[in-house]
Amino acid sequence: MNIKEYVQLRKEQLKKEIASLDVKPTLIIIQVNADPASDAYVRGKLKDGAEVGANVILDKQAPSISETDLIKLIEKYNHDPHVHGLIVQMPLPKQINESHIKLAVNPVKDVDGFHPLTHFKPCTPKGIIDYLKAEGVIFQGKSAVVIGRSNIVGKPMQQLLLAENATVTQMHSKTTREDMDLFLSHADIIVVAVGRKHFLNHSFKLKPSAVVVDVGINRDEAGLHGDAEPNLAVKLQTPVPGGVGLLTRLSLLVNLMEAYHGIQN
Ligand code: NAP
């Protein structure tokens, strides 16, 4: 099943489940930036919520808000029994310390999976693992390579692959081309999250049986491009657009349902 079909199916299941609930799951999105990319992401989250029948509410605050006032607002939602999920849209204005905000969100409502004590998995890596499982990809004993080591994608991706018993190699900007060639030529699963158009290209020799997951979103005048060149000679390659971005959005809804059940029961 391609990603669009998979996401559509999972959303229909969520919609049915939510329709049967008396109290609807509620997600608050606090946005304190004036960033066009964030506006687009927030619009997507509001649209997804409406599609499945969840209450997704945007609380937009001035970018000049102080850290103290933002934490007070988070505390208000932390204690509100009608709120099941709470996220603060990144990036944050300069006067606000990102770590303080991530730690302020109640871990049981932290559907972005950013708090160190939350049991929620960050949406992008979670979406990738769930989709690959649905596609029947085997992780145990397989060789996985993650290119990129950011806190929101690369590092949690490495951890989730490890939890699935893959043998994981993590690469970053200081990895040599020699090592990249070596590890990539042996990899069964490759996740590329670098933020550079067509970084993973035909100059790398990959296994024909490999699975390539393309996390990258690179915009130019021609449109959206992934971190992987299209049509690599592999078994499965996720597209951009219409790939991991959709899985990330789906995971937020799945995490919201989990938070709902955790709080309602
Ligand atoms: P990021 O924070 O900028 O991290 C990029 C990572 O790539 C860093 O770890 C960096 O290494 C590594 N890197 C940079 N140049 C490299 C090179 N030449 N060789 C190997 N590694 C290199 O980015 P991110 O937040 O992880 O996002 C990555 C991409 O995914 C972006 O295009 C972003 O827009 C996209 N994204 C998509 C979704 C989605 O839902 N589809 C979600 C999140 C992000 P160092 O650590 O050494 O600097």
Side-chain angles (χ1 to χ4, degrees), residues 41 123-125 146-155 170-175 180 192-197 199 214-219 225-227 240 243-249:
Y41 293 135
C123 293
T124 301
V146 179
I147 316 177
R149 57 175 167 181
S150 69
N151 289 330
I152 80 157
V153 188
K155 282 181 189 152
Q170 189 132 36
M171 293 176 177
H172 46 77
S173 64
K174 305 295 181 286
T175 305
M180 286 205 174
V192 57
V194 169
R196 288 175 63 173
K197 178 182 169 183
F199 177 84
D214 189 350
V215 183
I217 301 174
N218 306 290
R219 286 169 211 275
H225 310 276
D227 282 354
V240 176
V244 172
L246 297 178
L247 299 175
T248 302
R249 284 167 60 174

Side-chain angles (χ1 to χ4, degrees), residues 55-83:
N55 283 327
V56 179
I57 299 163
L58 173 62
D59 184 341
K60 204 165 181 175
Q61 297 285 326
S64 58
I65 190 171
S66 69
E67 187 176 300
T68 311
D69 285 347
L70 179 56
I71 290 176
K72 269 190 204 149
L73 185 66
I74 292 170
E75 284 296 329
K76 183 188 91 168
Y77 290 124
N78 278 346
H79 292 109
D80 184 339
H82 305 295
V83 171

Side-chain angles (χ1 to χ4, degrees), residues 10-26 48-56 253-254 256-257 260-261:
R10 295 289 312 272
K11 276 186 173 170
E12 275 157 24
Q13 290 166 345
L14 288 170
K15 189 176 173 179
K16 261 192 203 148
E17 187 186 346
I18 293 171
S20 71
L21 301 171
D22 293 333
V23 176
K24 302 298 175 205
T26 295
D48 290 340
E51 210 178 314
V52 299
N55 283 327
V56 179
L253 297 173
V254 174
L256 176 63
M257 285 312 292
Y260 174 87
H261 289 303

